[in-house]
Amino acid sequence: MAIFIRFSTFLLYFFFFLSLLSHQTMSQPQHMHTFCDKLSENFTQTSPYKSNRETLLSSLRDRSSLGTYSNATIGLSPDIVHGMFLCRGDITKTSCSDCVKTATLEITKNNCTYQKNAIIFYEECMVRYSNVSFFRLIEDGPNIVKYSLASFPNSFFSSFQGTLSKKVEQLIILTSSKSSLSSSTPYYVRDISRVNEFEGSYTLDTMVQCSPDLDPENCGVCLRLAVQGSSQCCNNARWAHIFLPKCLLKYDSTGLPQSGSSSINFSKGEIDLKELFGRIFITAMAIWVLALVGL
C-alpha cells in the first residue's frame, strides 16, 4: 500500500510538471535569427547611445500591449537611436506583447551588445534599432525564409502556383490600398479559401502584412520583393514564410497530395515536444524504479 501511494503521488507531481512545462514551452516566442550589422558603428559601455538604446527598448516594451506596431526615436545625434517592432497580425495581443518583451531583451545580447544596428526575428514579431533612421524605407534584407521540403507532385505544381500567385497578388493590392490603413491592424490581410482543382480540393491560407510606416505604394513593392524571394527558394513548397524588415508573406496549403515529409527552417534550438516529454518520462520512470528497488 505504501508503495502504491508513493507511486500515485509521484505520478500526480510528474504529470503536473509535464503540464506546466508544456505550457511554458508552448507560450515562448520562437526565435529565428538575430542580425547585427558588423559594418555599423560600435559604442562603449559608458556611451550615451547605450542608455538611449535601453530607453528606446523599454518604450517599445511598454507599447507592445497597445497594438501590432510602434516606433520610437530617443536622443540626439550622434547618439540618437531609432527603433520599432512589428507583430504578425494573426496573433493575439498577449502573444504580441510577450514576443516584443522577449525580443527587446534578447536583441542586445551576444554579438549585438555594442552594435549600433541590429534586428531580431521571431515567428511572432520582429524588433530592431539603429542609429540611422529606417522609417518609410523599403529594405530587402536581412530576411528570413522558412519553408516546407514536402513538395507537390509535378502534375499539380503548375496549377497550384498559378492559384497561389493570383491570390497573393489580390491580397497585395488589397493590403497596399489606403483603406487598409484605417483597419484595427493596418496593412494586414489574411484569406483562407477552399480551392477546387485537379481531382480534388485543398485549403489555401494566405497572409500578407506591411509595416505601417510605409506608404501604400512601397508596401506593395515590399510584398512583391517577398514574392520574388519565395520564387527563388521554395516555389514548390507546401508552405512558406518570408520575413523582410518591413513586410511578410505567409501561405499554407492543406489537403493536397505531397512528396516528401520533412521541413526546413532557419530557427535555432527548437525542440520537439513529444521527444522532450518522452525523454523526461523515461528518466522519471528510471528514477522511480531505482527508488522502488531501494525501498
Side-chain angles (χ1 to χ4, degrees):
M1 179 62 69
I3 294 176
F4 176 76
I5 293 175
R6 290 181 184 180
F7 180 64
S8 299
T9 304
F10 168 80
L11 286 181
L12 178 63
Y13 282 109
F14 175 65
F15 285 111
F16 173 76
F17 168 74
L18 281 185
S19 64
L20 181 61
L21 179 62
S22 174
H23 173 75
Q24 291 176 340
T25 304
M26 293 299 290
S27 64
Q28 290 298 312
Q30 299 299 303
H31 178 252
M32 293 190 291
H33 200 70
T34 303
F35 295 93
C36 301
D37 187 355
K38 301 303 181 183
L39 299 179
S40 67
E41 298 178 35
N42 291 343
F43 60 92
T44 63
Q45 175 71 21
T46 59
S47 169
Y49 190 89
K50 183 177 186 295
S51 60
N52 289 341
R53 184 183 67 176
E54 294 307 311
T55 301
L56 170 87
L57 296 175
S58 176
S59 175
L60 295 180
R61 282 194 292 273
D62 292 341
R63 301 181 189 186
S64 63
S65 61
L66 303 178
T68 57
Y69 168 82
S70 186
N71 68 60
T73 298
I74 303 294
L76 300 173
S77 182
D79 299 304
I80 191 169
V81 190
H82 309 275
M84 64 167 278
F85 71 80
L86 178 66
C87 291
R88 281 200 346 240
D90 61 334
I91 66 174
T92 65
K93 288 184 178 180
T94 300
S95 295
C96 175
S97 182
D98 288 346
C99 183
V100 173
K101 289 176 181 177
T102 300
T104 53
L105 295 174
E106 293 298 320
I107 194 172
T108 60
K109 296 181 179 180
N110 302 322
N111 295 331
C112 294
T113 302
Y114 298 112
Q115 298 290 140
K116 285 191 173 183
N117 188 353
I119 179 170
I120 187 168
F121 286 98
Y122 285 78
E123 286 197 13
E124 299 84 357
C125 73
M126 59 80 62
V127 170
R128 66 185 301 190
Y129 68 83
S130 176
N131 62 322
V132 179
S133 178
F134 48 77
F135 304 132
R136 296 181 293 278
L137 298 179
I138 304 174
E139 300 159 289
D140 60 358
N143 58 69
I144 290 288
V145 179
K146 298 180 63 178
Y147 60 95
S148 168
L149 285 183
S151 58
F152 302 115
N154 291 333
S155 58
F156 293 163
F157 171 66
S158 178
S159 181
F160 172 77
Q161 274 301 107
T163 300
L164 177 63
S165 296
K166 290 178 182 178
K167 177 59 64 176
V168 169
E169 184 61 26
Q170 290 173 1
L171 296 188
I172 289 176
I173 294 173
L174 183 59
T175 306
S176 58
S177 66
K178 293 183 179 180
S179 60
S180 71
L181 284 172
S182 60
S183 66
S184 58
T185 306
Y187 281 154
Y188 161 73
V189 177
R190 182 182 183 186
D191 179 85
I192 303 176
S193 302
R194 192 68 181 172
V195 181
N196 295 305
E197 290 182 358
F198 328 127
E199 299 175 355
S201 61
Y202 63 95
T203 298
L204 181 61
D205 185 349
T206 315
M207 186 188 88
V208 293
Q209 185 176 0
C210 288
S211 174
D213 65 292
L214 295 179
D215 60 39
E217 181 179 357
N218 283 334
C219 172
V221 172
C222 186
L223 289 171
R224 290 184 177 91
L225 286 173
V227 172
Q228 182 180 353
S230 68
S231 65
Q232 292 173 349
C233 73
C234 40
N235 57 4
N236 194 24
R238 291 176 55 84
W239 59 263
H241 305 167
I242 300 92
F243 299 79
L244 275 66
K246 291 298 182 72
C247 63
L248 62 95
L249 162 66
K250 291 181 60 188
Y251 75 84
D252 193 4
S253 60
T254 55
L256 277 172
Q258 66 183 51
S259 58
S261 59
S262 59
S263 64
I264 185 171
N265 63 68
F266 295 103
S267 299
K268 306 297 181 182
E270 292 189 39
I271 300 175
D272 183 82
L273 287 179
K274 291 182 179 179
E275 180 182 354
L276 175 63
F277 289 166
R279 292 178 182 178
I280 294 173
F281 180 79
I282 293 173
T283 302
M285 290 302 295
I287 294 173
W288 174 78
V289 171
L290 291 174
L292 186 63
V293 171
L295 290 177

